Amino acid sequence: VYPNPFESTFTVEAGSVIEQLEVYSITGQLLIATSPKLKKTNISLDDFAPGSYLVRTTTASGMRTVPVNKRSL
């Protein structure tokens, strides 16, 4: 996941196809759920406030959760 921190959009890249991608608030609320079926995708959090979020990706290799931080413009 890069860049981190980010201003509005970040990129998620995996070694295999991303089957499911979810973005959660730090309190655990699901904000975005998508099934990109790609190895690389861009996610925009333009509509969300600066702060910390969790990005969960699911690939054939398993599930991974990464913290990301949105900073103010």
Side-chain angles (χ1 to χ4, degrees):
V1 177
Y2 61 89
N4 190 13
F6 65 96
E7 291 180 356
S8 63
T9 302
F10 60 89
T11 301
V12 178
E13 192 168 356
S16 57
V17 172
I18 302 167
E19 299 295 334
Q20 182 71 26
L21 188 147
E22 299 162 331
V23 178
Y24 293 88
S25 69
I26 202 68
T27 60
Q29 179 183 6
L30 179 63
L31 304 173
I32 297 173
T34 185
S35 299
K37 307 293 187 206
L38 301 166
K39 288 185 178 183
K40 182 177 177 181
T41 188
N42 295 318
I43 301 294
S44 173
L45 292 186
D46 277 340
D47 296 333
F48 299 100
S52 296
Y53 296 88
L54 298 172
V55 178
R56 178 181 289 169
T57 56
T58 304
T59 67
S61 303
M63 186 181 298
R64 182 174 181 199
T65 303
V66 177
V68 295
N69 294 297
K70 180 179 180 184
R71 63 179 173 216
S72 299
L73 293 175

